[in-house]
Amino acid sequence: MDNYIWLIPVLPLAGFIINGLGRNILSKGVIGFLGSLLVLLSFGISLGLFLQINSTHAPINVTLFTWFQADIIKIPFAFLVDQLSALMLLIITGVGFLIHLYSVGYMKDDEGFGKFFSYLNLFVFFMLLLVLGSNYLIMFIGWEGVGLCSYLLIGFWYTNPDYADAAKKAFIMNRIGDVGFILGIFILIAIFHSASFADIFSKAGTGVYTKAPYVLITLLLFVGAVGKSAQLPLFTWLPDAMAGPTPVSALIHAATMVTAGVYMIARSNILFTLAPATMHVVAIVGLTTAVVAAIIALTQTDIKKVLAYSTVSQLGYMFLGLGVGAYTGAFFHVLTHAFFKALLFLGAGSVIHAVSGEQDMRKMGGLKGKLPITFATMLIGTLAISGIPPFAGFFSKDEILAHVFAQSPAMYVIGVITAMFTSFYMFRMLYLTFYGKFRGTHEQEHHLHESPPSMTIPLIVLAILSIVGGFIGVPESLGGHHWLAEWLSPVLKQSNALLAETPLVKTTEWTLMGLSVAGALIALAYAFNKYVTKAHVPVADNEERPALAELSYHKFYFDELYDTIIRKPLDALSIFFYKVIDQMGIDGIVNGFGKGSIEASKGLRLLQTGNVGFYIFMMVLGIIAILMSLVIKF
């Protein structure tokens, strides 16, 4: 299979070129079939590589060509498929194929159908490049590429100014983080004279480079992860990114792009392990993000906004796990989150499709009987993300919380409370959407119907994965065998040796699991009592709310705060530079030379009188001046 690695990213790239050039020529059926098939073929090759690595236990390195060489630094264009990247390839291509298939039905009436599929294929290409690269520079190409594609897909309906602004916001905030990422890469190259993972990690792990500024390097890399994975303070772009079509939300903001930061840190695990101070920062930022995003999600009324803030919160959990050294647990949550969050976003898209584009949950309700497949699959996704056993999210979330407890019981308590918030706002979303009476218009109610098979089949597949996905990491305390920990052990070998910690007593693990599940069930019951038994509906936008609810509903005014302390001062500074430095300074100097030349020429023009006597007089003055200069010289 080694010879076919290059086909994994090239096949989606071919889809981008063909669908892009033929978007006005090819039929929608051909475009949808081709775009989906090429991603499926990439999945097939990725599966073959996964089975090969499972058999040989050896990573696969393929060098295509030497990219560039300068002095002692040689950067090959090479791909690496090991235990970590093999799983990421399966997620990107597998979930990506299901989202492509879903998009065939969801976008069938959109006039930009061909363009949309070409963008989706291009995104998959760059994401595959990101995880396949054997060095940081190739990873950075993919990193920047998915940022570009997110701009194109979020602003797909660019005729709406708000959607176009959301796309620009996502692009700019990602660039802020990317500055830190590229600076970290430059320092790594300067110290290790290489950008390749194998060279850097082997040298870092041997202890030869003990004086390397690991804290600085990892903090800069983490800045890149903060931007890409929407952590505080660079998280406000992701909820606004819901402006894109729902398949975009599922692909970019659930299963792939936003987890790139987690993948990068997991890939660079030895560097972060050697920088304990950075690990603390990662844990604190992750926990803070998880809490803040969960509180905001409690009061949102837009179904996609609830899922958006849920994504931010779950990413916070992943970074919390990375920060306490639970690299396996954090990546485990990446896997399970890809299943249930893609399911929830696609389920939300099915609901929006049924109610003629409505996204406000206050105008939904009573859809359980009208959309039985969508309801059943979203129920499974909600149970999974809430951490209810035996669904996938239970195993991954509890593994993170167990490691957090071993490091800091206080952080564990906050993590459990956040898990309760997650259960509450997710079941709040489910109850407001599917229970009670329908609160939309009569026209919407008349057109309520289940989505076509092209949309429901991906929901069913993702629902099955959300049920069984957690069993790859059943802890030994529950009588299981943690296959994922064993699978990732070669990638995490160096860090595991440095982070060796005493495992929790079995009864302690059971207690922690019990507390987490009990908290989720209490929140579930409270949400049921409020939104089903009492049939409570959130108030309208112009009605008053309690002070804390008002803060939550307005997202703690983060956007307004950023406007006040960052955007407006920068706007004022740019106006100052434009009017004072540019217009009065630079333009003034340039225009001054021009005006000076014009005025001088006007003065000299006065000498051209046309009087012959005056010319003779000036000639005589010139002769006298020459003679005087000669006299003075001698």
Side-chain angles (χ1 to χ4, degrees):
M1 294 297 293
D2 300 22
N3 296 329
Y4 300 104
I5 289 179
W6 62 274
L7 280 173
I8 297 176
V10 166
L11 287 170
L13 180 62
F16 160 70
I17 296 171
I18 296 171
N19 285 333
L21 295 177
R23 65 187 184 278
N24 297 322
I25 303 171
L26 302 174
S27 67
K28 290 184 178 180
V30 171
I31 290 172
F33 175 78
L34 186 64
S36 303
L37 176 64
L38 291 172
V39 177
L40 180 61
L41 291 175
S42 290
F43 174 76
I45 300 172
S46 300
L47 183 60
L49 290 171
F50 173 83
L51 295 174
Q52 178 178 332
I53 292 174
N54 186 49
S55 174
T56 63
H57 304 289
I60 303 169
N61 284 280
V62 175
T63 300
L64 301 180
F65 54 87
T66 298
W67 187 4
F68 65 86
Q69 185 170 359
D71 195 20
I72 61 174
I73 298 174
K74 181 179 180 181
I75 307 294
F77 200 95
F79 291 152
L80 167 67
V81 180
D82 61 1
Q83 288 79 359
L84 183 63
S85 55
L87 286 178
M88 284 299 294
L89 289 176
L90 292 179
I91 293 174
I92 295 165
T93 56
V95 177
F97 165 70
L98 293 175
I99 293 170
H100 276 70
L101 180 61
Y102 177 95
S103 300
V104 172
Y106 190 87
M107 299 293 291
K108 65 179 181 179
D109 297 324
D110 196 287
E111 60 182 15
F113 187 89
K115 182 172 67 173
F116 181 78
F117 266 84
S118 68
Y119 288 170
L120 281 185
N121 283 161
L122 183 64
F123 175 86
V124 172
F125 162 72
F126 278 120
M127 193 67 206
L128 290 170
L129 204 61
L130 190 155
V131 300
L132 274 172
S134 69
N135 60 64
Y136 280 105
L137 289 183
I138 298 177
M139 177 189 280
F140 188 73
I141 294 174
W143 191 277
E144 291 299 291
V146 294
L148 168 65
C149 292
S150 70
Y151 167 78
L152 296 173
L153 288 166
I154 293 166
F156 183 73
W157 292 318
Y158 58 87
T159 53
N160 185 322
D162 291 337
Y163 294 178
D165 288 343
K168 288 186 289 186
K169 184 177 182 179
F171 189 79
I172 292 168
M173 292 194 80
N174 271 268
R175 298 292 76 70
I176 295 171
D178 294 350
V179 171
F181 188 31
I182 193 66
L183 288 176
I185 294 174
F186 286 160
I187 296 175
L188 283 171
I189 294 174
I191 293 174
F192 296 99
H193 306 297
S194 174
S196 297
F197 300 141
D199 293 339
I200 293 173
F201 300 158
S202 61
K203 292 175 181 177
T206 57
V208 176
Y209 290 80
T210 54
K211 293 184 180 180
Y214 291 115
V215 173
L216 175 62
I217 292 169
T218 50
L219 282 175
L220 288 171
L221 295 179
F222 178 57
V223 169
V226 165
K228 194 66 70 184
S229 296
Q231 298 294 285
L232 278 168
L234 302 178
F235 77 105
T236 58
W237 68 267
L238 192 144
D240 288 0
M242 297 303 107
T246 299
V248 174
S249 303
L251 180 65
I252 296 180
H253 309 123
T256 52
M257 175 179 149
V258 293
T259 59
V262 182
Y263 169 79
M264 184 267 289
I265 293 179
R267 170 64 71 195
S268 312
N269 62 86
I270 184 60
L271 300 179
F272 282 81
T273 301
L274 293 170
T278 304
M279 297 277 279
H280 291 311
V281 173
V282 173
I284 292 170
V285 170
L287 183 60
T288 306
T289 303
V291 174
V292 171
I295 293 174
I296 294 174
L298 293 174
T299 57
Q300 299 305 302
T301 55
D302 184 315
I303 188 170
K304 288 177 68 175
K305 284 290 180 71
V306 173
L307 294 176
Y309 282 105
S310 169
T311 298
V312 176
S313 184
Q314 296 306 304
L315 288 167
Y317 264 109
M318 297 173 202
F319 279 94
L320 173 60
L322 293 171
V324 297
Y327 296 114
T328 301
F331 191 74
F332 190 11
H333 205 52
V334 168
L335 289 172
T336 59
H337 182 264
F339 301 147
F340 59 68
K341 187 53 66 66
L343 166 61
L344 289 165
F345 268 117
L346 295 184
S350 180
V351 171
I352 295 167
H353 181 266
V355 293
S356 307
E358 182 60 65
Q359 295 184 197
D360 192 334
M361 296 184 296
R362 292 170 295 190
K363 299 176 183 178
M364 297 179 186
L367 301 179
K368 183 170 62 170
K370 300 289 186 179
L371 286 70
I373 298 176
T374 301
F375 167 71
T377 53
M378 286 195 74
L379 173 61
I380 291 170
T382 302
L383 288 167
I385 193 174
S386 300
I388 307 296
F391 298 93
F394 163 74
F395 297 102
S396 57
K397 188 178 291 186
D398 270 59
E399 181 171 346
I400 292 174
L401 290 175
H403 278 83
V404 172
F405 179 81
Q407 295 280 335
S408 170
M411 294 179 76
Y412 167 80
V413 171
I414 299 172
V416 170
I417 293 172
T418 305
M420 293 179 67
F421 289 162
T422 302
S423 179
F424 174 79
Y425 66 67
M426 288 306 303
F427 277 98
R428 170 182 178 268
M429 180 200 75
L430 190 79
Y431 296 146
L432 284 173
T433 303
F434 293 99
Y435 286 76
K437 296 180 180 180
F438 185 68
R439 298 179 294 273
T441 65
H442 290 295
E443 184 179 352
Q444 288 175 332
E445 187 172 15
H446 178 70
H447 290 94
L448 289 176
H449 61 281
E450 183 60 271
S451 298
S454 63
M455 294 173 65
T456 55
I457 290 173
L459 292 178
I460 294 170
V461 174
L462 288 168
I464 294 171
L465 291 172
S466 297
I467 295 172
V468 304
F471 289 99
I472 64 172
V474 178
E476 294 182 4
S477 60
L478 293 179
H481 174 69
H482 204 311
W483 174 86
L484 183 62
E486 182 179 338
W487 173 261
L488 292 177
S489 58
V491 180
L492 304 175
K493 182 179 179 180
Q494 294 172 301
S495 292
N496 288 341
L498 295 174
L499 294 171
E501 56 184 45
T502 305
L504 295 173
V505 179
K506 185 179 294 186
T507 54
T508 304
E509 282 198 61
W510 289 348
T511 303
L512 296 178
M513 290 179 192
L515 289 173
S516 177
V517 173
L521 291 174
I522 291 170
L524 181 160
Y526 179 69
F528 183 86
N529 179 63
K530 184 172 183 178
Y531 296 104
V532 178
T533 304
K534 296 181 179 179
H536 174 77
V537 178
V539 300
D541 292 342
N542 57 354
E543 296 183 33
E544 291 187 7
R545 302 178 183 83
L548 290 177
E550 191 73 15
L551 276 175
S552 171
Y553 184 75
H554 289 286
K555 307 130 188 174
F556 291 104
Y557 297 97
F558 272 103
D559 283 316
E560 291 80 359
L561 179 64
Y562 291 167
D563 261 5
T564 302
I565 66 174
I566 298 175
R567 188 186 65 80
K568 289 181 179 177
L570 285 176
D571 284 350
L573 186 62
S574 66
I575 291 171
F576 169 78
F577 275 106
Y578 170 65
K579 291 186 175 180
V580 177
I581 306 298
D582 191 5
Q583 285 190 327
M584 297 175 64
I586 298 172
D587 284 354
I589 293 172
V590 173
N591 293 336
F593 279 114
K595 290 179 179 178
S597 300
I598 292 171
E599 295 301 321
S601 65
K602 286 180 180 179
L604 291 173
R605 187 181 63 186
L606 297 175
L607 297 177
Q608 304 298 320
T609 64
N611 188 317
V612 176
F614 175 75
Y615 293 156
I616 295 172
F617 173 70
M618 293 301 295
M619 186 187 303
V620 172
L621 287 179
I623 294 170
I624 293 172
I626 293 171
L627 292 174
M628 289 295 294
S629 65
L630 291 173
V631 170
I632 293 172
K633 182 176 181 180
F634 292 102

